[in-house]
Amino acid sequence: MRILGIETSCDETAIAIYDKQNGLLSNEIYSQAKLHSYYGGVVPELASRDHTCKIAPLILLSLKRANLYPNQINGIAYTAGPGLVGSLLVGVTVGRTLAFSWNIPAIPVNHMEGHIMSPMLESNSPKFPFLALLVSGGHTQLVIVNDVGSYKLLGESIDDSVGEAFDKTARLLGLNYPGGALLSQLAKKGKQKKFIFPRPMTGCDSLNFSFSGLKTFAANVIRNNYLDDQTRSDIARAFEDAVVDTLLIKCNHALDKTGFKRLVIAGGVSANYSLRNKMSIMIKKRKGEIFYSRPEFCTDNAAMIAYVGMLRIKSDISKELSIEVHPRWSLTELSSL
Ligand code: KG4
Ligand code: ZN
């Protein structure tokens, strides 16, 4: 069984082929970061136009790398949401059209379910059930994962996501979009506690998050200080420490509340070294287990979409020809297997 995965929810055009027996056969990613960096963030119209140009060549490349012909593919999984409507439409249209013409099933996949399952692509993968912290450019969520498709949302950001806060603060520090990883690089040279940022919403029982105030705090610190290289690094360090501490406190609280021993961190920000390191120490102290994937599977990719497609494929081929996207598709709306 081989599934071709398509991911176009935001600013990465990604195609992968996952084989049930042999794992990942190809994993192609084209990032539009350079295109959007001039504007300091994703421009939706440019994103969808660029997906249109890149998607077909990437599918051909993916088949070539995997040494496969289309008749050796058994299903097409595509991200149907959440994400930018125009970007999603490109992947959904191409995915459903190819599936129809190749006479194989088309499988709509929820992008966040893809992130949750991304550690399953690694040899050391978690068993169900577990607690998941999803930290991406669009979402910050704490979720109980009972099984594939069985999710309970414990908390989420009431304003900016963690990734957004990283990117906006990075921009204030003069870094290119997407600035999360660049800010983290800068923070490595920063002195600890040179600046102290707040740990928002950690004094209450709620498992919700709020990150927009941190960005405003950063803006004020940046405005009130002379920004030499060391000061920029110190601010980046203070910001990163505050974000990581906040996520740590919330996860600790959620683990206490639920009694789970296994924690998965997933989504683009889970590539952050400091977050992985401090979470690992915390989990070790609790005698639990932590799971995260290699950095290229933390950020947007089609391997996780193809993998979920393999879990969700049904043998019957839908004759349904409609093209449907779900820009705000919640995990809690998904059906279990
Ligand atoms: O999951 P993702 O690739 O896209 C969405 O689904 O939104 O996440 C992208 C986010 C961006 O905000 C990016 O700056 C952030 O993940 N990110 C990082 C790091 N790598 C990516 N943030 C902090 N540290 C990193 N190393
Ligand atoms: Zn994502």
Side-chain angles (χ1 to χ4, degrees), residues 190-200 202 213-222 224-225 231-243 245-246 249 278:
K191 288 195 201 91
Q192 198 186 3
K193 295 188 178 162
K194 199 78 208 286
F195 296 95
I196 308 274
F197 279 45
R199 273 66 176 153
T202 51
L214 262 188
K215 170 206 62 196
T216 311
F217 194 92
N220 288 333
V221 172
I222 289 166
N224 295 330
N225 284 276
T231 309
R232 283 172 74 241
S233 300
D234 294 340
I235 295 171
R237 172 74 188 260
F239 172 83
E240 185 176 66
D241 284 351
V243 169
D245 276 1
T246 304
I249 293 166
K278 288 188 182 168

Side-chain angles (χ1 to χ4, degrees), residues 111 115 136-138 163 166-167 178 180-181 184 267-269 271-272 298-300:
H111 181 81
H115 278 306
S136 71
F166 259 105
D167 293 343
S184 186
V269 182
N272 184 279
C298 293
T299 45
D300 288 351

Side-chain angles (χ1 to χ4, degrees), residues 49-329:
R49 286 178 192 217
D50 208 29
H51 285 307
T52 312
C53 300
K54 301 297 185 317
I55 192 163
L58 270 185
I59 291 172
L60 290 173
L61 180 66
S62 200
L63 286 166
K64 198 173 165 198
R65 287 255 162 89
N67 212 6
L68 292 172
Y69 292 104
N71 62 5
Q72 293 171 291
I73 301 292
N74 307 98
I76 297 193
Y78 54 86
T79 302
L84 300 172
V85 66
S87 292
L88 289 167
L89 272 168
V90 179
V92 175
T93 307
V94 171
R96 292 205 72 91
T97 308
L98 270 186
F100 179 74
S101 56
W102 292 353
N103 203 29
I104 54 177
I107 314 130
V109 171
N110 180 294
H111 181 81
M112 299 315 290
E113 182 168 61
H115 278 306
I116 289 180
M117 297 301 160
S118 57
M120 306 292 183
L121 294 163
E122 305 293 357
S123 50
N124 177 29
S125 57
K127 288 193 185 70
F128 297 110
F130 53 80
L131 180 75
L133 172 71
L134 299 178
V135 276
S136 71
H139 293 76
T140 305
Q141 295 182 324
L142 268 166
V143 185
I144 291 179
V145 179
N146 288 310
D147 206 335
V148 181
S150 173
Y151 308 113
K152 186 174 177 217
L153 188 64
L154 295 178
E156 63 184 334
S157 179
I158 57 169
D159 43 53
D160 287 359
S161 71
V162 188
E164 236 176 317
F166 259 105
D167 293 343
K168 286 176 177 172
T169 305
R171 194 174 179 201
L172 293 170
L173 287 167
L175 300 168
N176 275 340
Y177 172 83
L182 295 172
L183 185 148
S184 186
Q185 279 294 110
L186 195 63
K188 284 198 179 119
K189 289 176 244 147
K191 288 195 201 91
Q192 198 186 3
K193 295 188 178 162
K194 199 78 208 286
F195 296 95
I196 308 274
F197 279 45
R199 273 66 176 153
M201 287 185 72
T202 51
C204 58
D205 195 43
S206 162
L207 290 173
N208 284 335
F209 304 85
S210 166
F211 289 105
S212 71
L214 262 188
K215 170 206 62 196
T216 311
F217 194 92
N220 288 333
V221 172
I222 289 166
R223 196 178 311 118
N224 295 330
N225 284 276
Y226 175 71
L227 287 191
D228 57 20
D229 284 352
Q230 188 56 51
T231 309
R232 283 172 74 241
S233 300
D234 294 340
I235 295 171
R237 172 74 188 260
F239 172 83
E240 185 176 66
D241 284 351
V243 169
V244 171
D245 276 1
T246 304
L247 295 174
L248 210 76
I249 293 166
K250 292 284 180 182
C251 279
N252 232 324
H253 192 32
L255 290 166
D256 284 344
K257 264 191 172 175
T258 58
F260 280 112
K261 286 278 176 203
R262 285 186 286 272
L263 175 71
V264 160
I265 54 174
V269 182
S270 69
N272 184 279
Y273 175 76
S274 170
L275 178 67
R276 290 157 88 107
N277 188 34
K278 288 188 182 168
M279 280 284 183
S280 301
I281 294 169
M282 182 267 281
I283 290 291
K284 206 171 168 192
K285 272 192 200 148
R286 297 181 66 101
K287 298 197 176 6
E289 287 178 285
I290 185 163
F291 301 86
Y292 43 74
S293 46
R294 70 193 82 167
E296 73 208 77
F297 295 155
C298 293
T299 45
D300 288 351
N301 66 85
M304 64 187 192
I305 304 302
Y307 181 81
V308 172
M310 195 202 60
L311 298 176
R312 287 192 168 276
I313 191 168
K314 290 194 207 94
S315 49
D316 55 313
I317 298 166
S318 169
K319 296 281 179 270
E320 180 63 58
L321 290 178
S322 64
I323 303 289
E324 266 185 48
V325 294
H326 309 282
R328 293 188 158 275
W329 198 5

